[in-house]
Amino acid sequence: MGHSAPKIVNPEGIAEEIGALLGSMLIETIDHADELTFVVARDDLANAMVALRDMAHYQQLMEIAGVDYPERPDRFEVAYHLLSVTRNHRVRVKVSTDEDTPVPTVTHLWPVAGWLEREVFDMYGVIFDGNTDLRRILTDYGFKSHPQRKDFPLTGYVELRYSEEDKRVVYEPVKLAQDFRSFDFMSPWEGAQYVLPGDEKAAAPAAPAPAPAAAPAPKATESKADTGAGDAANKKAEEKSADAPAKPAAETDEGKGAAKPEGKA
């Protein structure tokens, strides 16, 4: 199976060569994605590393990594990555162990393994037999459990803060604020079916003002003389006051102009 990265060319017959070199120490050879992995017996790890360094010319230890498989009896895998400067090639060596069984150290072969083994111990709790300085290296003093284990909670067990009162860093049980940990994933334009935080502070909308009373509809009459108030009002309206102007005849000159009061020139 190919790899998405630039192709790594394995030397011709290298898997068979290393397999014959390791002999009974070798449990399985895995050739995947142009990478060679050799699974060796845990108790034979140091001897296998000596053979790879001195006889197969993998001179440098580049990395030690841990992997956790909780469903396995030997839940931890420890992977060693070796580099051959003369071959320009890398291989991986793996061993398996559980929480209580130690893995032989390789600090006597590569001094840099001291720090790398401490990282695996800190993150996974794997014990390395023969490492004289096996202490935590990435977590704080007094840290509980090992954070890279699959059963370790994401929030941890304790949280630390600087106490201004005590003038030091203090440890406290983890306290999670639950106010913003419930999500309904509703679209913004659909609107939430509950009061959002802060909405209760908004002023309630004022009640709408009552509509003004409609003006009474004017009464319709059939003629100008009809006041619409009844016969008595109509008769009263027909009476003229004493100083009411007389209506001139239309054929006179006065009829062409403005009406004049009676008795006046």
Side-chain angles (χ1 to χ4, degrees), residues 181-197:
R181 294 176 62 84
S182 179
F183 306 96
D184 55 16
F185 302 100
M186 183 177 290
S187 300
W189 51 84
E190 292 177 351
Q193 303 301 320
Y194 51 85
V195 178
L196 295 172

Side-chain angles (χ1 to χ4, degrees), residues 110 163 184 197:
W110 294 283
S163 173
D184 55 16

Side-chain angles (χ1 to χ4, degrees), residues 234-246:
N234 293 341
K235 292 179 179 180
K236 188 69 176 176
E238 292 176 355
E239 298 178 0
K240 294 184 179 181
S241 61
D243 58 349

Side-chain angles (χ1 to χ4, degrees), residues 152-209:
F152 187 85
L154 294 179
T155 56
Y157 295 104
V158 296
E159 58 185 3
L160 59 90
R161 65 176 178 85
Y162 179 77
S163 173
E164 187 64 32
E165 180 180 356
D166 298 334
K167 302 297 182 182
R168 65 182 180 87
V169 174
V170 296
Y171 291 84
E172 298 173 340
V174 175
K175 298 178 181 178
L176 298 177
Q178 301 295 324
D179 294 344
F180 303 102
R181 294 176 62 84
S182 179
F183 306 96
D184 55 16
F185 302 100
M186 183 177 290
S187 300
W189 51 84
E190 292 177 351
Q193 303 301 320
Y194 51 85
V195 178
L196 295 172
D199 285 358
E200 71 280 358
K201 301 177 183 179

